[in-house]
Amino acid sequence: MARRIIIGIAGASGVTYGVKMLTLLRDRTDIESHLIISESGKRNIEIETEYSAEQVESMADFVYDNKEVGAALASGSFLTEGMVVIPCTIKTLSGIANSYTTNLLVRASDVTLKEKRKLVLVVRETPLHKGHLRLMTMAADMGAHILPPVPSFYHQPKTIDDILNQTIGKIFDYMGIEHDLFRRWDGSLL
């Protein structure tokens, strides 16, 4: 049986991270992807990528309407490996940190935390004020893994894809998904 992973795409700039993650998972038979896209996420897909929201949805194995708070993902009895919110807006982060589950994306995140499953929040905002930092601390205290898309350069990225792959590779590492998306640091200078 394939491992189930929930992917949430919120409306922050950087939806290309979520799209790239879906393209990397699309052809894998060991991962079953369950996708939720917020309305703002759909809008940003149209603005920031060459894809339509429908094309992005077609990359996932299963797609859920963000308003469908009674979907299977809203229950702890729906077994998953965990969830990645990529990108995660401050509004979504606030909903998760405060257990304010007004939509499926936040509810599925809340369920992931209450069931002690892995939750990765790719918080995409800069600069950050103390309220943002407090929300990240609150979510981390509940078990979320905060993973802002901060590129590293030791692997000498040449393209935007190289930068995207490094962040997604870090997510895959945390989720226990094997990959070869970036050159790992081996202590040498090249």
Side-chain angles (χ1 to χ4, degrees):
M1 183 170 138
R3 299 165 52 201
R4 292 176 176 159
I5 295 186
I6 304 168
I7 299 165
I9 297 178
S13 182
V15 292
T16 190
Y17 283 99
V19 173
K20 180 67 175 181
M21 185 170 177
L22 285 167
T23 63
L24 291 168
L25 293 176
R26 175 175 41 196
D27 297 325
R28 293 185 66 139
T29 57
D30 59 328
I31 305 289
E32 184 179 278
S33 59
H34 294 258
L35 177 64
I36 309 162
I37 307 176
S38 73
E39 287 306 310
S40 296
K42 290 177 183 178
R43 231 178 351 267
N44 273 2
I45 287 168
E46 305 282 341
I47 294 168
E48 295 184 357
T49 76
E50 69 273 6
Y51 298 103
S52 68
E54 293 78 21
Q55 288 172 311
V56 172
E57 288 175 338
S58 73
M59 296 176 190
D61 295 308
F62 298 91
V63 179
Y64 303 83
D65 187 309
N66 196 30
K67 296 179 192 116
E68 192 183 342
V69 293
L73 306 180
S75 172
S77 65
F78 185 81
L79 298 177
T80 70
E81 295 287 319
M83 181 171 180
V84 180
V85 182
I86 181 170
C88 181
T89 62
I90 295 297
K91 179 181 178 181
T92 299
L93 170 65
S94 181
I96 294 165
N98 290 290
S99 302
Y100 190 64
T101 60
T102 59
N103 60 49
L104 183 59
L105 202 158
V106 176
R107 174 61 187 165
S109 299
D110 192 62
V111 167
T112 300
L113 288 173
K114 82 177 184 70
E115 297 297 329
K116 305 266 191 258
R117 297 177 187 142
K118 293 179 177 180
L119 175 64
V120 179
L121 303 178
V122 182
V123 180
R124 229 311 290 137
E125 186 61 76
T126 193
L128 301 166
H129 62 62
K130 193 172 181 179
H132 300 151
L133 298 170
R134 188 176 299 118
L135 290 169
M136 283 189 258
T137 300
M138 289 169 63
D141 285 346
M142 293 188 298
H145 189 62
I146 310 299
L147 199 152
V150 178
S152 66
F153 294 93
Y154 63 83
H155 60 93
Q156 299 185 345
K158 306 282 187 271
T159 65
I160 290 175
D161 250 10
D162 292 341
I163 292 170
L164 295 173
N165 286 344
Q166 190 268 336
T167 295
I168 294 167
K170 297 299 280 183
I171 295 165
F172 282 6
D173 285 350
Y174 181 69
M175 298 299 285
I177 300 170
E178 289 186 29
H179 69 89
D180 61 355
L181 294 173
F182 60 88
R183 186 177 65 82
R184 296 182 183 279
W185 177 249
D186 62 7
S188 69
L189 295 175
L190 296 179

